[in-house]
Amino acid sequence: MRLKQGSFLWYLYLDKIYCLLSVRNVKALAEYFHILDVHRKNTLNDVLFYHFLHHVTDLKKAQISVVFDMLDWNAVGEIGFEEFYMLVCMLLARQNHLEGQFMYRHSRPVFDLLDLKGDLRIGAKNFEMYRFLFNIKKQELKDLFHDFDITGDNRLNYQEFKLYTIIYIDKLQKRQKTEEKEKGERKRSLYSKKMSHQVDTSRESLGKKWDLKVQNMNIDEDC
Amino acid sequence: MEEKPSKVSLKSSDRQGSDKESVHNDTRDLWTTTTLSQAQLNMPLSEVCEGFDEEGRNISKTRGWHSPGRGSLDEGYKASHKPEELDEHALVELELHRGSSMEINLGEKDTASQIEAEKSSSMSSLNIVKHMPHQAYWAEQQSRLPLPLMELMENEALEILTKALRSYQLGIGRDHFLTKELQRYIEGLKKRRSKRLYVN
């Protein structure tokens, strides 16, 4: 899922630690929502919501419909600004590869969104429907339920979900650290190669000069 | 709007007798002349600083600017401050006369330093002038979004809503009140956009 380049949302950005919009960005977003709120109800109906999402992302009709059902948590058939803000944060997190960070920081609201039935459990089918929002692959989802379904009911409660987000972030941070280490080592090795090459070339030139000198001395002696 | 230092002193002397002197000009002159002869004025600092915030902007003026409905309060403020300002003006006049006599006596060396002092005072007056009339404009600009961003949002919204209108017409018909409402809204957006382009 990608945001359309040059669209208004494309210019917004999330804080990388807390995965939230700044006040300025929220202000701009509120103004944008207000412009789209044609009927002056502080909401977007399903048609407006569909055309908005279709315009700014590459999501298909079925996916947009699923997202609308997920966000319409009051079941009124319309999306208010709170839900709109949540959606924008999720889209931006997905765009900027901050899905794991977003789920970790906002595990409760994300859990509540995915808990469609309201029974404080997320089933595998529900998670499968929404994995495109968080860039979770099919195999990764299977592994998730295999590793974290401690109760064994093939569903995740909030503690299991939270544990998953913590371990995901931990793995991510470790991966980032090893990548940084490798980068640093590569730089150091390149630098040491450069230095040794320079030393070798300078030695060579010195050696040549010395040989020339010796030759000249021998010639003088002969003369 | 620039004021040369010599004009400021002339203006302050001219205004002494006028009844229609504005608080704005009086305060500005006061601020200007205060820097010339700080040690000599007997006005307590609290009175000078009362109307100004940390950045040197006149708070009393902004209150007047933002709340036109409180005219009576402002008038009362002006009335209560008039006698004090007249006294201050008398003091300022004395200082100016002293200053002018000193100019003649000291000669060329001091004129340069005085000109510099007058320049700095005129700069401070300029800053105050810049802040006071344009404060409402800047306050409004602070709360507004930048125009290019507004343009981007409106253009995008127009595209989205035009597509939505087609869905409305197909789904609920052209005569439905929601369709008409959307149509009117789109026309309003287009008018606003063309107005902005025309103005640019």
Side-chain angles (χ1 to χ4, degrees):
Chain A
M1 190 207 69
R2 287 270 136 212
L3 280 176
K4 185 180 166 186
Q5 196 169 353
S7 64
F8 167 67
L9 292 189
W10 193 71
Y11 290 103
L12 300 181
Y13 57 91
L14 285 183
D15 171 70
K16 281 186 178 174
I17 297 171
Y18 298 104
C19 295
L20 291 169
L21 292 176
S22 67
V23 174
R24 274 184 202 266
N25 281 342
V26 171
K27 193 176 168 184
L29 189 69
E31 187 64 35
Y32 184 70
F33 184 82
H34 183 72
I35 294 172
L36 289 174
D37 174 26
V38 173
H39 305 295
R40 292 289 172 258
K41 291 168 82 180
N42 288 325
T43 57
L44 299 181
N45 58 35
D46 55 341
V47 176
L48 294 170
F49 181 83
Y50 166 78
H51 285 287
F52 155 72
L53 215 50
H54 189 258
H55 185 83
V56 301
T57 64
D58 57 356
L59 289 175
K60 295 167 199 164
K61 191 174 182 178
Q63 289 174 322
I64 294 172
S65 165
V66 146
V67 170
F68 183 85
D69 289 338
M70 181 185 76
L71 292 173
D72 180 21
W73 55 59
N74 294 330
V76 291
E78 287 171 336
I79 300 294
F81 183 69
E82 274 182 31
E83 294 95 330
F84 187 74
Y85 174 78
M86 181 80 176
L87 170 68
V88 168
C89 288
M90 287 197 300
L91 292 175
L92 290 171
R94 178 74 176 81
Q95 176 77 8
N96 299 308
H97 309 293
L98 293 169
E99 308 92 346
Q101 185 80 358
F102 184 83
M103 282 200 292
Y104 169 70
R105 285 286 170 186
H106 308 291
S107 52
R108 191 80 231 188
V110 169
F111 182 84
D112 289 341
L113 273 180
L114 297 173
D115 176 24
L116 288 174
K117 290 179 185 174
D119 56 356
L120 305 177
R121 298 275 188 283
I122 302 173
K125 272 186 182 175
N126 287 349
F127 216 145
E128 169 67 33
M129 263 201 305
Y130 297 109
R131 63 180 179 81
F132 68 90
L133 281 172
F134 303 104
N135 195 25
I136 299 173
K137 290 165 190 163
K138 220 171 186 173
Q139 190 54 45
E140 284 176 3
L141 190 68
K142 278 183 183 169
D143 295 340
L144 197 169
F145 273 85
H146 181 264
D147 297 338
F148 295 96
D149 180 18
I150 300 163
T151 49
D153 57 354
N154 209 29
R155 295 191 298 171
L156 296 176
N157 60 23
Y158 178 66
Q159 283 82 14
E160 290 161 351
F161 181 73
K162 182 75 184 176
L163 190 65
Y164 157 71
T165 60
I166 291 168
I167 290 173
Y168 182 94
I169 278 293
D170 194 44
K171 276 185 187 171
L172 194 71
Q173 284 170 353
K174 279 180 183 169
R175 206 188 312 154
Q176 281 170 352
K177 272 183 189 171
T178 49
E179 277 173 11
E180 275 170 29
K181 248 186 183 177
E182 279 169 16
K183 259 188 191 173
E185 277 172 15
R186 254 181 267 146
K187 272 186 183 171
R188 256 180 263 137
S189 65
L190 271 167
Y191 181 72
S192 59
K193 272 183 189 171
K194 218 180 177 180
M195 288 303 289
S196 63
H197 178 70
Q198 279 178 359
V199 163
D200 288 340
T201 48
S202 60
R203 268 188 198 161
E204 260 183 56
S205 62
L206 270 170
K208 279 179 185 171
K209 279 182 188 172
W210 181 253
D211 290 339
L212 267 169
K213 236 185 179 178
V214 163
Q215 272 177 20
N216 290 335
M217 277 170 66
N218 289 337
I219 291 165
D220 288 340
E221 275 178 13
D222 290 339
C223 292
Chain B
M1 190 166 84
E2 288 184 7
E3 283 192 16
K4 291 178 184 174
S6 54
K7 282 185 186 174
V8 170
S9 57
L10 282 167
K11 274 185 185 173
S12 59
S13 59
D14 285 339
R15 275 191 223 109
Q16 198 202 359
S18 100
D19 292 331
K20 289 178 185 176
E21 54 192 69
S22 63
V23 176
H24 164 89
N25 288 330
D26 292 339
T27 316
R28 200 178 62 197
D29 291 338
L30 203 78
W31 194 253
T32 307
T33 52
T34 304
T35 54
L36 285 172
S37 53
Q38 267 172 353
Q40 310 286 338
L41 281 173
N42 294 324
M43 191 167 53
L45 190 66
S46 56
E47 281 184 32
V48 174
C49 295
E50 203 177 26
F52 293 88
D53 66 2
E54 285 168 358
E55 293 172 71
R57 288 176 289 190
N58 195 333
I59 298 166
S60 59
K61 294 290 167 290
T62 58
R63 282 194 205 122
W65 191 276
H66 284 301
S67 52
R70 294 183 202 166
S72 58
L73 279 169
D74 288 330
E75 283 161 20
Y77 176 83
K78 285 177 194 175
S80 67
H81 277 70
K82 264 191 175 172
E84 286 174 27
E85 282 162 356
L86 283 170
D87 290 336
E88 286 157 7
H89 258 288
L91 282 166
V92 159
E93 271 284 88
L94 279 169
E95 290 309 318
L96 285 167
H97 283 304
R98 264 189 232 163
S100 58
S101 60
M102 275 170 75
E103 266 183 40
I104 295 160
N105 292 334
L106 289 170
E108 282 180 0
K109 281 183 186 178
D110 288 321
T111 49
S113 57
Q114 275 198 328
I115 286 164
E116 275 179 29
E118 284 166 351
K119 267 184 192 170
S120 62
S121 64
S122 69
M123 282 305 293
S124 63
S125 67
L126 265 171
N127 286 335
I128 291 164
V129 163
K130 210 194 292 182
H131 283 302
M132 289 200 284
H134 301 296
Q135 208 153 5
Y137 168 76
W138 289 114
E140 202 183 303
Q141 290 301 307
Q142 292 280 330
S143 58
R144 263 193 195 170
L145 290 169
L147 279 172
L149 190 65
M150 287 299 298
E151 213 177 299
L152 172 71
M153 288 197 290
E154 283 184 357
N155 288 341
E156 195 170 279
L158 208 55
E159 286 175 40
I160 294 167
L161 295 175
T162 309
K163 291 177 197 170
L165 179 66
R166 266 182 243 135
S167 298
Y168 271 39
Q169 285 167 347
L170 287 169
I172 54 177
R174 287 172 186 270
D175 297 328
H176 199 275
F177 79 96
L178 289 173
T179 314
K180 288 181 182 175
E181 195 174 25
L182 179 55
Q183 205 162 6
R184 280 197 299 269
Y185 187 85
I186 290 169
E187 280 162 19
L189 259 182
K190 281 180 179 169
K191 270 185 190 169
R192 222 162 50 192
R193 191 173 69 160
S194 57
K195 233 186 193 177
R196 213 187 313 120
L197 288 168
Y198 179 71
V199 165
N200 287 342

